[in-house]
Structure formats: structure tokens, C-alpha cells
Amino acid sequence: MNLRPRTSSLMTWTSKSLEEPSWSPGGTAALEKQLPSRSPGENIFLHIVDLSDPKTVWKFVENFKQEHTLNVLINNAGCMVNERELTEDGLEKNFATNTLGVYVLTTALIPVLEKEHDPRVVTVSSGGMLVQKLNTDDLQSERTAFDGTMVYAQNKRQQVVLTEQWARAHPTIHFSCMHPGWVDTPGVRLSMPGFHARLGARLRSEAQGADTVLWLALAPTAAVQPSGRFFQDRKPVPTHLPFARTSSSPAEEEKLIEILEELAQRFK
């Protein structure tokens, strides 16, 4: 593979020549070996941003776009807080990080992405979203008993809906979201200890979980897939289980965008 990073800010690489047809542990290992050798240290910039603080996200974007270009945005940061906590702005922390923060960061960077050739946005969602129907009536978990796992799953459903909406609104950018599989990460060990103990050795490695993310960010074969799709193991997969009744109406999806936009502007 001949990887040519065009933008290394936000720990993002992009390329014109990554063409492995399907997921494999060997393919991931090969990709890991290639990336550092093609990414000189002087082209890598680390930006630390608290996604739960929309004011900070807005400020970051304003500074970033003055100094950098951007070819690929990977929305991977997230949290699963199992007790209802509020940020300093009075926002429920999971919603603020996983949904509002991702919304502000992505929409604010769209004008930067649109200036580049073959721009992409990859959002790391979760298969857990399959058990959730979009619920715009209680985005911050104020009216029901709090369950951190289900709140996280609802946030991940919201990310899938946002990806579909962005793909329709911005056809020059390739949007995708994906399920990395169940991965042995510190976040899973900390937030879901019972789940982690039950799956044990069946959990994927971090490299295996990252494989489809990198493929969506780098591969020409990924870019020819329709924008707005949900992927697992480099393949588009359904966003709803049979008979699950988790589909949402256009009105519900528009309401999500309206609420997020109102909140985003409030903190700008």
C-alpha cells in the first residue's frame, strides 16, 4: 500500500490507494505498519478538545480552520456515564459528548472539508443502537429512569440519523458511520464490566475494531459506497433489526436536527 497522508491533524490520514476488499486481522496489522512510515512527525498535530463543552468545541474549530486544512474527520471520542451527570452548562454528559459535541464539531468543520478533494466524515457508532428508536422527546434523559447503557445506545442511534441527514444535505462529502464490533477497550472494561467479563477472549482487539474506521477514511473502494450508510467489517449493514420498530419518521429526524442546531447556536 502506498499511503499518502493529506492531513494529519486530529490524528486523521487519508489516501488514494488502500484497497483491501474485506476485513482481516492481517490486513489491519499491515495497515498499522504502513501509517507511521508514511506520516512524518512534523505533519502530526495533537489537539485536545472536551466534546462535552460546546463552547470549547466552537472555539477549537475557529482556531483550527485558520491554520489547517482537513480531508477526513473521524468522530471516535465518546463516553458512557452510568449515573446521570450534568456538565457545567447543565447538559446531560452522555448527550453532550456523544451527540451535541459530535454535531457541533462536524457541522462547524463541514465548510473546511468542502474545500478539499474527496472529503470524508466517519462516525464511530455502535451496534447497540439497534435496540433504540430515535427519541427526540427526552434527549437529555430527564423524564425516565436513567440507564447509562440505554442512553449510550440512544446517542449512537442519534449519530446514525445525523450521518444520514448530513449525507443528504452535503453531497460533496462522503459520510459514513460504523460498528467496530465489541472491542476490548478501557472504556468497555470500565463502563460495562459484566459485559466485558462475559465476552472475555471473544472481544476484538483495538486494532481489529479500528480496521473499518481506517478503511472508510482511506480506501477508494469505501468512497464509492453510497454516502450515509452504516458499516461493519467493511460492509454496509442494516440500521434496523427485523420487526424491531425502531424506524423514525422524517419529522422526528428533522426535530433532532432542529434541537441540536438550537443548542449549538446557544453555546456559540
Side-chain angles (χ1 to χ4, degrees):
M1 291 179 294
N2 178 25
L3 297 180
R4 293 186 300 161
R6 291 180 286 176
T7 297
S8 297
S9 296
L10 300 179
M11 303 305 292
T12 299
W13 288 267
T14 184
S15 170
K16 286 183 173 287
S17 54
L18 176 65
E19 298 181 340
E20 286 75 10
S22 59
W23 175 85
S24 72
T28 302
L31 179 59
E32 287 179 316
K33 292 177 181 178
Q34 291 287 338
L35 283 173
S37 66
R38 299 294 193 275
S39 301
E42 63 268 19
N43 291 331
I44 297 176
F45 303 91
L46 175 63
H47 308 276
I48 299 174
V49 184
D50 182 358
L51 280 186
S52 71
D53 182 348
K55 294 190 294 293
T56 297
V57 178
W58 278 117
K59 183 178 179 180
F60 161 73
V61 171
E62 287 303 309
N63 292 332
F64 179 88
K65 66 185 183 181
Q66 300 299 322
E67 301 176 5
H68 301 284
T69 60
L70 183 64
N71 300 98
V72 180
L73 170 66
I74 299 174
N75 290 311
N76 184 47
C79 67
M80 183 192 294
V81 180
N82 286 315
E83 300 290 335
R84 190 173 188 273
E85 296 181 20
L86 301 182
T87 68
E88 292 182 359
D89 295 313
L91 300 167
E92 192 277 314
K93 188 165 288 186
N94 292 293
F95 167 78
T97 305
N98 301 328
T99 303
L100 182 59
V102 168
Y103 177 83
V104 172
L105 181 66
T106 304
T107 55
L109 285 172
I110 281 173
V112 184
L113 286 157
E114 287 179 327
K115 295 177 182 179
E116 303 304 318
H117 172 70
D118 189 22
R120 308 185 194 189
V121 175
V122 182
T123 298
V124 181
S125 181
S126 169
M129 66 89 190
L130 292 167
V131 303
Q132 287 285 309
K133 180 184 184 297
L134 178 65
N135 177 11
T136 57
D137 293 328
D138 192 22
L139 289 175
Q140 300 198 58
S141 310
E142 298 171 289
R143 304 175 188 173
T144 56
F146 191 87
D147 182 327
T149 303
M150 290 299 102
V151 169
Y152 178 84
Q154 174 65 207
N155 295 159
K156 294 302 174 177
R157 168 62 69 186
Q158 292 158 6
Q159 290 179 350
V160 171
V161 172
L162 286 174
T163 297
E164 294 168 344
Q165 293 291 312
W166 286 326
R168 295 188 190 103
H170 305 282
T172 62
I173 301 174
H174 189 275
F175 291 89
S176 60
C177 53
M178 57 81 68
H179 173 46
W182 304 114
V183 182
D184 188 0
T185 65
V188 171
R189 290 194 293 273
L190 201 64
S191 299
M192 305 172 67
F195 175 83
H196 182 271
R198 286 194 301 275
L199 265 68
R202 289 175 290 172
L203 291 165
R204 292 182 172 187
S205 69
E206 293 175 353
Q208 290 171 334
D211 179 86
T212 296
V213 178
L214 294 175
W215 178 76
L216 288 166
L218 302 173
T221 50
V224 300
Q225 296 281 346
S227 185
R229 300 293 296 273
F230 180 68
F231 290 82
Q232 182 175 351
D233 295 340
R234 303 191 182 188
K235 298 177 182 178
V237 294
T239 56
H240 302 280
L241 296 172
F243 313 112
R245 297 183 179 181
T246 53
S247 296
S248 48
S249 68
E252 290 172 313
E253 295 176 1
E254 289 172 10
K255 183 178 178 182
L256 174 65
I257 298 293
E258 290 172 1
I259 293 171
L260 292 176
E261 182 62 20
E262 191 276 328
L263 285 170
Q265 293 302 319
R266 183 189 304 175
F267 294 105
K268 190 171 182 179

